[in-house]
Amino acid sequence: KGVDNVSSKITFMPISYTGWGSLEHLTSEAERLNASNILIVTDPFLEELGMTNKIVEPLQAKGWKTSVYTEVVPEPPLEVGEKLVAYTKENKFDLVIGLGGGSALDLAKLAGVLAAHEGKVADYLNLTGDRSLTHKGIPKILIPTTSGTGSEVTNISVLSLESTKDVVTHDYLLPDVAIVDPALTTSLPPKVTAATGIDALTHAIEAYVSKNANPVTDGLALQAIRLISGSIRQAVADGENKEARTNMSYGSYLAGLSFFNAGVAGVHALAYPLGGQFHISHGESNAVLLPYVMGYIRPSCEKRMNDILEAMGFSANQLSQEQASYKCVEELKRLVADVNIPVSLKGFDIGEDALDSLADDGIKQTRILARSPMPLTREDIYTIYHAAYSGE
Ligand code: NAD
């Protein structure tokens, strides 16, 4: 795979600043992008934490106008996106900065692009929209405060709909600059560190087994798996641990680059209905499904699951390929449990009667499911949800 005659498009778009203290590059980048009237998109909790001041103060010191928009909510519904886009259109901003987790970053990049387009956000949705993006819009700088989504390097904005999620996706959504500073993540509570960290791990694992993987995305994914699986327990136990936070930050960034190029698959396709129907966070939805989806598709990617097991720090030497792939599933389940995320749908109070409607929505995610190394039918999807429900 990847070294045969199949060609791959690889995009590493934004100029990125990474590592502890990298926020110091914000003003010089804003200057390079000719900013003077800046929109900062964030959520009310980060404003309350005083995080927004770290962005606003240096920009105001330059004499630039800043407007802080704090109406972002986790897993943002379409209407929240529509409102922000309308606000952005009414004002003549020349730079959009997204500060926060994936929810704030997804909305910031959407606003930056859609401010320059006719129509509503709904017109541009992947599954139901009928319009395509035609230009890049306002320059964008994205600054993640979770180590999870990789949104700072992807061309996707995710929106919650009534019973599932949909995306707007186009390379115009890629930001001009990403600033990935682990110092901004030390305030994350253990529960969010765990959920967002497993989200990042899922990106790397799904990218590694994706039908679209290639040697470039493989390298990124394996390094992400090493960093995240080796540090997530410490980051959850001690949020101030600089080394663990730095590893998580690099891990989620690498995982983002990897899955943006190779794609995610079954875990994400099944996680979207969980988020949509039960308002479970994106990270937890992925976490509870990860061992069961990987357990189900295991026969289609045994060798790759051996590699994942080794990247997680275990030796597969004494094991057959089949045994090692089973152990990989077991270790993933242990990792999810160790960071205190429920390992069955029952742990989220989801009853067996919900599985049919989850499967009905899961099978609709055709774009994502197309990258699964094992084709998944609605029946397969129901079986996976059932395994996740019973915890076996
Ligand atoms: P989030 O942005 O919803 O944030 C979760 C919570 O953490 C919020 O309450 C927020 O206020 C808080 N928080 C964030 N940073 C903090 C910090 N440093 N200290 C304390 N609290 C902090 O969570 P997320 O998991 O980063 O993003 C989820 C969203 O991203 C979902 O909508 C998901 O579908 C989307 N997503 C997008 C992509 C992409 O490529 N664009 C990929 C995966 C997921």
Side-chain angles (χ1 to χ4, degrees), residues 43 57 133 142 194 202 204 243 256 384 390:
D43 71 44
E57 278 165 11
L133 298 173
L142 298 185
T202 306
E243 190 185 347
I384 297 170
S390 62

mmCIF file of all heavy atoms in Angstrom, residues 43 57 133 142 194 202 204 243 256 384 390:
data_model
loop_
_atom_site.group_PDB
_atom_site.id
_atom_site.type_symbol
_atom_site.label_atom_id
_atom_site.label_comp_id
_atom_site.label_asym_id
_atom_site.label_seq_id
_atom_site.Cartn_x
_atom_site.Cartn_y
_atom_site.Cartn_z
ATOM 1 N N ASP A 43 -15.080 30.572 22.770
ATOM 2 C CA ASP A 43 -16.296 30.242 23.528
ATOM 3 C C ASP A 43 -16.283 30.953 24.881
ATOM 4 O O ASP A 43 -15.244 31.427 25.340
ATOM 5 C CB ASP A 43 -16.504 28.721 23.622
ATOM 6 C CG ASP A 43 -15.520 28.011 24.526
ATOM 7 O OD1 ASP A 43 -15.243 28.513 25.622
ATOM 8 O OD2 ASP A 43 -15.040 26.935 24.139
ATOM 9 N N GLU A 57 -4.704 41.293 23.982
ATOM 10 C CA GLU A 57 -3.784 42.339 24.462
ATOM 11 C C GLU A 57 -2.653 42.641 23.479
ATOM 12 O O GLU A 57 -2.453 43.812 23.123
ATOM 13 C CB GLU A 57 -3.256 41.997 25.856
ATOM 14 C CG GLU A 57 -4.266 42.397 26.926
ATOM 15 C CD GLU A 57 -3.993 41.787 28.288
ATOM 16 O OE1 GLU A 57 -2.899 41.215 28.484
ATOM 17 O OE2 GLU A 57 -4.893 41.876 29.147
ATOM 18 N N LEU A 133 -18.000 26.114 -2.627
ATOM 19 C CA LEU A 133 -17.223 27.310 -2.287
ATOM 20 C C LEU A 133 -16.388 27.718 -3.503
ATOM 21 O O LEU A 133 -15.834 26.859 -4.196
ATOM 22 C CB LEU A 133 -16.315 27.021 -1.083
ATOM 23 C CG LEU A 133 -17.064 26.662 0.207
ATOM 24 C CD1 LEU A 133 -16.094 26.230 1.293
ATOM 25 C CD2 LEU A 133 -17.896 27.846 0.697
ATOM 26 N N LEU A 142 -5.540 29.937 13.200
ATOM 27 C CA LEU A 142 -6.221 29.039 14.148
ATOM 28 C C LEU A 142 -5.284 28.638 15.293
ATOM 29 O O LEU A 142 -4.130 28.248 15.061
ATOM 30 C CB LEU A 142 -6.746 27.794 13.434
ATOM 31 C CG LEU A 142 -7.797 28.050 12.341
ATOM 32 C CD1 LEU A 142 -8.344 26.734 11.794
ATOM 33 C CD2 LEU A 142 -8.954 28.921 12.833
ATOM 34 N N ALA A 194 -9.005 13.764 28.315
ATOM 35 C CA ALA A 194 -9.177 12.360 27.931
ATOM 36 C C ALA A 194 -9.950 12.254 26.614
ATOM 37 O O ALA A 194 -9.505 11.590 25.666
ATOM 38 C CB ALA A 194 -9.915 11.615 29.039
ATOM 39 N N THR A 202 -7.704 8.455 17.710
ATOM 40 C CA THR A 202 -8.589 7.837 16.713
ATOM 41 C C THR A 202 -8.263 8.354 15.313
ATOM 42 O O THR A 202 -8.258 7.597 14.344
ATOM 43 C CB THR A 202 -10.067 8.137 17.062
ATOM 44 O OG1 THR A 202 -10.303 7.716 18.394
ATOM 45 C CG2 THR A 202 -11.016 7.415 16.123
ATOM 46 N N ALA A 204 -5.377 9.271 14.223
ATOM 47 C CA ALA A 204 -4.141 8.637 13.760
ATOM 48 C C ALA A 204 -4.393 7.170 13.388
ATOM 49 O O ALA A 204 -3.928 6.693 12.344
ATOM 50 C CB ALA A 204 -3.073 8.737 14.853
ATOM 51 N N GLU A 243 5.777 18.054 29.740
ATOM 52 C CA GLU A 243 6.187 17.092 28.712
ATOM 53 C C GLU A 243 4.962 16.378 28.126
ATOM 54 O O GLU A 243 4.834 16.223 26.904
ATOM 55 C CB GLU A 243 7.158 16.078 29.327
ATOM 56 C CG GLU A 243 7.813 15.218 28.277
ATOM 57 C CD GLU A 243 8.689 14.126 28.874
ATOM 58 O OE1 GLU A 243 8.994 14.173 30.087
ATOM 59 O OE2 GLU A 243 9.041 13.207 28.113
ATOM 60 N N GLY A 256 -3.743 15.216 12.957
ATOM 61 C CA GLY A 256 -4.556 16.061 12.072
ATOM 62 C C GLY A 256 -4.010 16.050 10.653
ATOM 63 O O GLY A 256 -4.750 15.850 9.679
ATOM 64 N N ILE A 384 -21.809 -3.647 15.164
ATOM 65 C CA ILE A 384 -20.775 -2.915 15.920
ATOM 66 C C ILE A 384 -21.416 -2.116 17.063
ATOM 67 O O ILE A 384 -20.947 -2.149 18.201
ATOM 68 C CB ILE A 384 -19.968 -1.966 14.995
ATOM 69 C CG1 ILE A 384 -19.212 -2.778 13.945
ATOM 70 C CG2 ILE A 384 -18.997 -1.121 15.819
ATOM 71 C CD1 ILE A 384 -18.582 -1.952 12.828
ATOM 72 N N SER A 390 -23.254 -3.708 24.442
ATOM 73 C CA SER A 390 -23.102 -4.756 25.464
ATOM 74 C C SER A 390 -21.711 -4.738 26.106
ATOM 75 O O SER A 390 -21.496 -5.344 27.142
ATOM 76 C CB SER A 390 -23.407 -6.129 24.871
ATOM 77 O OG SER A 390 -22.491 -6.388 23.846
#
